[in-house]
Amino acid sequence: MIIVMRRGAPPEQVEAVRQRILAMGFKAHLSQGEEQTLLGVIGDERRLSAGVFEILPGVEKILPILKPFRMASRDFHPSDTVVQVGAERVGAKGVAVMAGPCAVESYEQTLAIAQAVKASGVRILRGGAYKPRTSPYAFQGLGPKGLEILSAVRKELDLKIVTEVLTPSDVELVCRHADLLQVGARNMQNFTLLAELGKASKPVLLKRGMMSTLEELLMSAEYVLSNGNPHVILCERGIRTFERYTRNTLDLSAVPLLKKLSHLPVIVDPSHATGVKDLVGPMSLAALAAGADGLLIDVHHLPEQALCDGAQALLPADFADLVGKLKGVATAVGRTL
Ligand code: PEP
Ligand code: MN
């Protein structure tokens, strides 16, 4: 980091800051300009809190140099990371389409939707057993029973499962039923959960918080990576803005930006991003065009009876149509589906 001293800060104040830098185990580089004095702090500044210097007399501001994330950054790992979920290699040339109901409601419902999406070529089934709902009175998911249903359908149809884990103490249980552990938008900064997932044996799908910056998302990924799990997929799922015609505003610029800042695969959830089924197709096509490594799409065979998010679910036939169109875009951007 660079410490900018106030104009006319006396030499004693500059020296006090320099001594403070040295006392903290860093090297100091003094640059005495005609108008202002700068002090460079040499060493890994991520260990430092800017506040330590900000409060010293004569200091005007602190300019960080390094990105606060390390293991998630492209600088640390220049080539693309590929996360393996069964036969699907997320982050490689093939685009991974994950689809299924928002929530697991019953064995019959999950099986029917799973069969439909499998017929369209999907190999990773989505479905929440634990649902983080805004209202405590809304359907909260079937919990362990939902996990059993997912396991049964996984076995029956030879699909892989992505499902959300809400609590650190559930990680082990969810690992037994899932192939990819989803962290929902509301839990993106549940650091205890992220640390626990760092020790998990399964890859992690980390969704962007609805009010989180990309830097915060990458810092959350850093929690999982630095705790020992290198298999992290990032997911853009819309952020909250003033717009009310959509549930959230899909931030598609996040895709190329995240791919530039990080080596981790990036997928898009156009269903939760828009909340409107008619927008899911166009946003899926746009996501692929923008470089997304995959999609997470809500599909329901009886959306009017869905216990959760029916308004954004595609009918299986519409989903099949969309997959056809996605193939065209994938080819156009040099990828496969
Ligand atoms: C979900 O995918 O089921 C979900 C709850 O999404 P989000 O966390 O993005 O709201
Ligand atoms: Mn949902």
Side-chain angles (χ1 to χ4, degrees):
M1 65 178 60
I2 292 171
I3 302 171
V4 182
M5 300 299 294
R6 277 202 196 104
R7 230 173 233 262
E12 312 82 79
Q13 288 186 345
V14 177
E15 181 54 21
V17 174
R18 200 178 74 85
Q19 288 303 331
R20 191 68 212 266
I21 296 171
L22 299 177
M24 296 188 73
F26 290 82
K27 287 189 189 141
H29 181 269
L30 182 68
S31 164
Q32 191 91 54
E34 276 185 25
E35 305 212 358
Q36 242 159 344
T37 300
L38 308 178
L39 279 152
V41 182
I42 323 281
D44 187 351
E45 68 189 47
R46 295 181 191 92
R47 291 193 284 118
L48 274 178
S49 146
V52 171
F53 298 110
E54 244 156 19
I55 56 162
L56 295 180
V59 172
E60 182 172 303
K61 62 181 166 191
I62 308 292
L63 305 173
I65 301 292
L66 294 177
K67 296 185 187 84
F69 45 90
R70 183 195 186 94
M71 297 179 77
S73 85
R74 266 275 171 216
D75 309 334
F76 177 82
H77 189 294
S79 62
D80 287 341
T81 283
V82 174
V83 174
Q84 186 99 25
V85 184
E88 202 87 65
R89 299 179 70 241
V90 187
K93 191 175 181 209
V95 172
V97 181
M98 312 174 193
C102 181
V104 173
E105 299 167 20
S106 68
Y107 174 73
E108 292 71 24
Q109 170 251 15
T110 306
L111 183 67
I113 298 168
Q115 280 166 332
V117 297
K118 186 181 175 183
S120 291
V122 166
R123 287 178 291 190
I124 304 175
L125 176 71
R126 68 147 289 147
Y130 296 93
K131 297 304 304 174
R133 305 304 299 277
T134 302
S135 166
Y137 309 116
F139 176 58
Q140 304 286 309
L142 297 179
K145 178 154 185 284
L147 293 176
E148 299 287 349
I149 292 172
L150 286 168
S151 267
V153 173
R154 168 165 75 169
K155 197 164 162 211
E156 173 104 14
L157 299 183
D158 189 27
L159 288 167
K160 299 297 167 190
I161 301 291
V162 54
T163 196
E164 180 158 355
V165 56
L166 284 179
T167 321
S169 56
D170 284 342
V171 169
E172 213 185 297
L173 172 68
V174 177
C175 266
R176 273 186 254 137
H177 299 274
D179 303 285
L180 177 59
L181 306 167
Q182 179 172 325
V183 178
R186 290 155 191 81
N187 254 335
M188 189 204 85
Q189 287 192 314
N190 181 339
F191 301 117
T192 320
L193 176 64
L194 298 174
E196 190 64 30
L197 289 167
K199 295 173 214 131
S201 55
K202 297 283 167 76
V204 174
L205 175 62
L206 179 62
K207 295 186 108 181
R208 180 184 185 180
M210 61 191 84
M211 286 173 282
S212 299
T213 64
L214 296 181
E215 190 164 287
E216 287 164 342
L217 171 61
L218 290 167
M219 291 308 287
S220 291
E222 194 78 12
Y223 265 91
V224 182
L225 300 171
S226 63
N227 276 283
N229 188 346
H231 310 295
V232 177
I233 302 169
L234 305 171
C235 179
E236 162 61 32
R237 49 75 74 206
I239 48 176
R240 181 162 284 191
T241 69
F242 48 82
E243 182 49 59
R244 296 269 62 93
Y245 281 123
T246 46
R247 182 173 176 181
N248 293 287
T249 297
L250 177 59
D251 177 12
L252 267 188
S253 62
V255 176
L257 251 169
L258 286 170
K259 300 227 32 121
K260 187 172 165 188
L261 291 167
S262 176
H263 53 91
L264 299 172
V266 180
I267 72 165
V268 169
D269 174 347
S271 308
H272 289 84
T274 63
V276 182
K277 74 170 174 12
D278 291 351
L279 301 179
V280 170
M283 291 303 96
S284 300
L285 296 166
L288 280 206
D293 295 304
L295 294 163
L296 182 68
I297 301 179
D298 280 12
V299 175
H300 203 293
H301 63 321
L302 298 167
E304 66 288 351
Q305 288 175 28
L307 295 179
C308 184
D309 289 350
Q312 69 193 32
L314 294 184
L315 286 165
D318 295 335
F319 176 71
D321 258 15
L322 174 60
V323 170
K325 292 182 187 150
L326 288 170
K327 284 182 180 153
V329 175
T331 307
V333 295
R335 305 189 70 159
T336 55
L337 201 84

